[in-house]
Amino acid sequence: MANYRRAWIPGGTFFLTMVTYQRKPLFENSDRVENLRKAIAQVKQEMPFDIIAAVVLPDHLHFIWKLPLGDANFSRRVGRLKVLFTRYQFGESVSVRSGSASRRKHRESDVWQRRFWEHTIRNETELNQCLDYIHYNPVKHGYVSYPHQWKHSSFHRWVKLGYYSRDWGCPVSGNTSQKFDFKTIEYFIRE
């Protein structure tokens, strides 16, 4: 059995990836994205944290979360988010009968992959690289041609804050995917 180790850094900033079960495109539907937002709001109310950046793609999510001082439990928040979204979307009676014996044993529905990926962001350089990765992700996966075209992204908020120009990542501005160096962070990013 695998021995997963998580970084427990109170008040830390974490890059997180959550993937749907068997890569089902659950979030192609805007109603499901709205249910995800409701679930996030409830988790934030129960266990406060800040969302620095986010992107919701059809079959996976990327976040950068900042936890409060003295709190390192992002894992509990991720678990709660998955449970709440599943309940909002499919009700209390979502079936755990399908899937593998292991999924049935752990009472897991066929909504999310069992685990999630995290990386502790250690400095501002890593934070900036993760921000770029998150905001360019819809382009990387071929859903849109330019980051500003993707609706379910914090990119628009970061443009308003002046961090990005609206044409960031666009060939017109000279920022094409060939100029992005995600190799330095891909060792900890899983999709």
Side-chain angles (χ1 to χ4, degrees):
M1 178 181 235
N3 182 15
Y4 293 96
R5 299 180 69 169
R6 301 275 188 207
W8 298 102
I9 299 172
T13 302
F14 302 93
F15 177 95
L16 302 162
T17 301
M18 293 166 240
V19 181
T20 63
Y21 182 67
Q22 296 183 339
R23 293 278 184 175
K24 291 178 185 169
L26 291 179
F27 299 106
E28 283 182 333
N29 179 315
S30 290
D31 291 340
R32 290 182 177 166
V33 175
E34 191 53 39
N35 281 337
L36 178 67
R37 285 188 176 122
K38 285 180 8 187
I40 291 168
Q42 185 170 338
V43 173
K44 286 180 74 171
Q45 185 176 18
E46 294 171 4
M47 299 171 273
F49 65 98
D50 292 323
I51 298 175
I52 306 301
V55 66
V56 178
L57 297 168
D59 63 355
H60 68 283
L61 321 169
H62 291 299
F63 290 105
I64 298 174
W65 287 358
K66 171 80 173 137
L67 298 188
L69 291 175
D71 189 341
N73 204 342
F74 56 82
S75 193
R76 185 170 170 224
R77 288 168 172 87
V78 168
R80 184 74 173 136
L81 172 60
K82 288 179 174 184
V83 165
L84 288 171
F85 169 77
T86 302
R87 285 183 186 162
Y88 286 149
Q89 188 60 45
F90 302 103
E92 295 283 341
S93 61
V94 67
S95 174
V96 295
R97 293 187 182 126
S98 59
S100 69
S102 176
R103 290 186 77 80
R104 288 190 303 273
K105 176 184 171 188
H106 291 96
R107 298 179 33 127
E108 295 172 331
S109 65
D110 294 344
V111 177
W112 296 101
Q113 280 188 6
R114 178 175 293 163
R115 304 216 190 312
F116 65 94
W117 291 275
E118 59 80 19
H119 171 76
T120 303
I121 297 176
R122 295 177 182 93
N123 55 49
E124 195 167 335
T125 299
E126 263 187 24
L127 175 62
N128 292 335
Q129 290 173 329
C130 289
L131 285 169
D132 289 352
Y133 185 86
I134 282 175
H135 295 129
Y136 199 76
N137 211 245
V139 177
K140 175 188 170 206
H141 288 286
Y143 295 119
V144 292
S145 299
Y146 315 111
H148 70 267
Q149 294 173 318
W150 193 251
K151 183 169 133 180
H152 304 298
S153 170
S154 59
F155 178 75
H156 312 284
R157 179 172 51 112
W158 283 91
V159 168
K160 286 180 186 171
L161 292 170
Y163 183 83
Y164 294 112
S165 64
R166 186 174 184 281
D167 65 353
W168 178 86
C170 299
V172 175
S173 69
N175 289 328
T176 63
S177 61
Q178 287 73 30
K179 293 190 179 186
F180 292 116
D181 181 14
F182 295 128
K183 299 268 186 259
T184 57
I185 61 171
E186 284 180 342
Y187 71 95
F188 64 78
I189 294 175
R190 305 286 191 270
E191 288 194 22

